[in-house]
Amino acid sequence: MNGRPLVRLGGLAAALLLAVTATAGCTRKSDGTAQAGPAARTPGQVKIALVPGGAHPYFQPWKDAAAKAKAELGVGDVTFNETSDWDQTKQNDVLKSLAAQGYNAFGVFGVSPENINATFEDLRKQGFPVASLASCPAGDVDKADFCLSTDVQLAAYKAAQAAIEAMGGQGDLVHLTGNKVDSNTQRRIAGVQKAVDETGGNVKLLQTVTDVDKDLQTAQKAVADLLAAKGDRIQGIVNTAYNPAVASAEGVKRAKLPIKVVAIDDDKTILAGIADGSVAATVLQNPVGQASVGSYALTKLAGGCTMAQPGVIVDSGSFVVTKADIDTYDTDRQARTDELKKAFDSQYLSCK
């Protein structure tokens, strides 16, 4: 896959969250006059489609979250469709097909953050509520009703801080990440660089390796090449994409090198590495919260609620997990998910 989770969010999150204000339950035409929104649907009339850009381990928890959301919300259906194959045109076709099948609320991880707003606009013109889940559009404008995503720059900063701490605050660090041209990869790079800069030169960013999250095999080759060429020079590796995190956890352990690895997400290889000490830490995201809270908010929007601030960006949370937290981390994620649902009710949604 091309440039995938750690998922997308710009640095405007804090400012946008502070700017949330209540508005009337109507939409606006471009000339500034009000027009009525789509007719409200009962929960049983709501059919939600959760649509990532393609197959990837990060999104697998969305499947169970979809089934749980259907039961808890009492909606007509919640489906999960990962057939887009990381092609924006194919994803658009999938969304059109789902709409033709009667799905009328959409949670989407856009393949192309630079172009996804056009897709969001098209869906909303048809009267469908739309959530940008685990991914925000590039730039400063979100044409979905809201974006619920990891703040990728903040999460990368946390990961680099954890790696630097594990390194004893000095030495050479390598950053492994996703698609170089993805705007969110650039945000991750900025987050890592910020943490390195704060060391005052005690830590050097030896190399940033991009385009290694297409699949596990690509990541494994990149890690093997890196360790063969520079393994004896590296004190730490920070990962901000799923496949290189797994590959570096495996590769460093196999090579028996004294490199401190900080991963992302909770693949079983990574959790096993934390338990045995071969991985120093991981930074977890909240895919279940994105799917479940996203479905909840979409159901509310379909029922006649509006966004207090259309296009608001909401951080779904990121959590540094070490060996000390390995048995309790999911409690923190669930707590964050519960907080997010309450925040939508109290801050982000305007319901009459």
Side-chain angles (χ1 to χ4, degrees), residues 16 124 136 140-147 307 309-314:
L16 286 168
R124 293 187 67 202
C136 293
D140 301 335
V141 177
D142 178 16
K143 293 293 186 179
D145 289 284
F146 63 90
C147 178
M307 294 303 300
Q309 181 182 330
V312 66
I313 296 171
V314 183

Side-chain angles (χ1 to χ4, degrees), residues 222-293:
V223 169
D225 291 346
L226 174 69
L227 296 180
K230 301 178 181 178
D232 59 348
R233 295 178 54 192
I234 301 168
Q235 281 71 54
I237 297 176
V238 59
N239 299 272
T240 59
Y242 193 105
N243 286 307
V246 175
S248 62
E250 293 174 336
V252 169
K253 184 176 181 178
R254 187 181 305 114
K256 299 180 180 179
L257 290 167
I259 297 172
K260 303 299 183 183
V261 175
V262 171
I264 183 172
D265 295 323
D266 53 359
D267 182 271
K268 62 182 181 180
T269 299
I270 291 166
L271 295 181
I274 291 176
D276 68 24
S278 60
V279 174
T282 190
V283 175
L284 299 184
Q285 302 178 81
N286 193 8
V288 171
Q290 291 160 357
S292 61
V293 177

Side-chain angles (χ1 to χ4, degrees), residues 77-332:
D77 195 17
V78 184
T79 192
F80 173 83
N81 188 307
E82 59 181 354
T83 63
S84 301
D85 198 29
W86 300 108
D87 180 290
Q88 189 59 63
T89 300
K90 289 182 180 179
Q91 186 177 51
N92 292 344
D93 290 342
V94 167
L95 293 168
K96 289 175 184 176
S97 175
L98 288 166
Q101 296 170 47
Y103 287 92
N104 50 32
F106 295 87
V108 181
F109 180 99
V111 174
S112 172
E114 291 75 19
N115 302 312
I116 193 62
N117 269 329
T119 302
F120 292 158
E121 281 192 296
D122 180 64
L123 290 169
R124 293 187 67 202
K125 284 177 181 177
Q126 297 176 65
F128 303 140
V130 181
S132 186
L133 296 182
S135 164
C136 293
D140 301 335
V141 177
D142 178 16
K143 293 293 186 179
D145 289 284
F146 63 90
C147 178
L148 179 60
S149 171
T150 311
D151 183 332
V152 296
Q153 186 163 333
L154 175 60
Y157 173 70
K158 290 179 181 179
Q161 283 186 314
I164 290 166
E165 181 179 353
M167 293 162 58
Q170 59 185 359
D172 288 342
L173 178 68
V174 171
H175 176 200
L176 304 182
T177 189
N179 191 342
K180 185 176 181 179
V181 301
D182 189 326
S183 60
N184 297 283
T185 298
Q186 295 304 312
R187 292 175 181 138
R188 297 171 198 136
I189 290 171
V192 170
Q193 188 65 58
K194 179 183 177 184
V196 170
D197 290 345
E198 289 176 351
T199 69
N202 289 328
V203 172
K204 176 184 177 183
L205 187 57
L206 183 65
Q207 186 176 354
T208 297
V209 184
T210 61
D211 302 305
V212 290
D213 192 35
K214 180 180 180 180
D215 51 45
L216 184 56
Q217 291 71 30
T218 299
Q220 287 170 331
K221 183 180 185 304
V223 169
D225 291 346
L226 174 69
L227 296 180
K230 301 178 181 178
D232 59 348
R233 295 178 54 192
I234 301 168
Q235 281 71 54
I237 297 176
V238 59
N239 299 272
T240 59
Y242 193 105
N243 286 307
V246 175
S248 62
E250 293 174 336
V252 169
K253 184 176 181 178
R254 187 181 305 114
K256 299 180 180 179
L257 290 167
I259 297 172
K260 303 299 183 183
V261 175
V262 171
I264 183 172
D265 295 323
D266 53 359
D267 182 271
K268 62 182 181 180
T269 299
I270 291 166
L271 295 181
I274 291 176
D276 68 24
S278 60
V279 174
T282 190
V283 175
L284 299 184
Q285 302 178 81
N286 193 8
V288 171
Q290 291 160 357
S292 61
V293 177
S295 296
Y296 173 78
L298 286 169
T299 302
K300 289 285 208 177
L301 291 169
C305 297
T306 58
M307 294 303 300
Q309 181 182 330
V312 66
I313 296 171
V314 183
D315 182 7
S316 53
S318 54
F319 315 87
V320 177
V321 176
T322 65
K323 193 171 185 177
D325 314 301
I326 195 69
D327 295 324
T328 60
Y329 70 86
D330 211 43
T331 301
D332 294 335

